[in-house]
Amino acid sequence: MSEIEKMRRYIERTSKRCESRSMTWGDVEALVNNAKQNPVDAVITAFNYGRAKGYRAAKAEGRAQA
């Protein structure tokens, strides 16, 4: 199993997804345009963006449960 397949499986096995916090088409387009000029920066930006969105989703979920 490749690393990409492992990552996709990890994503699929994540029990809860917050659809309202997922990437928009505009986000994807911006990353694709960035990847044409600097692919490594685009990957790092996508990762950090996903992590920040996950953090905010977790914070929002914590507030909703309190």
Side-chain angles (χ1 to χ4, degrees):
M1 181 180 293
S2 74
E3 289 301 313
I4 293 294
E5 289 169 335
K6 289 178 186 177
M7 289 181 219
R8 288 183 178 149
R9 185 172 175 187
Y10 180 84
I11 292 166
E12 289 170 4
R13 294 178 69 185
T14 300
S15 62
K16 268 191 164 179
R17 292 186 187 169
C18 186
E19 296 300 323
S20 66
R21 300 218 184 260
S22 59
M23 290 180 68
T24 64
W25 186 247
D27 297 337
V28 174
E29 286 181 317
L31 286 168
V32 168
N33 289 333
N34 187 28
K36 292 176 185 175
Q37 297 167 352
N38 190 342
V40 174
D41 182 61
V43 170
I44 292 168
T45 299
F47 178 82
N48 289 334
Y49 186 62
R51 185 170 52 182
K53 283 186 134 325
Y55 175 78
R56 288 184 181 199
K59 274 182 61 175
E61 188 175 305
R63 282 193 304 261
Q65 290 178 358

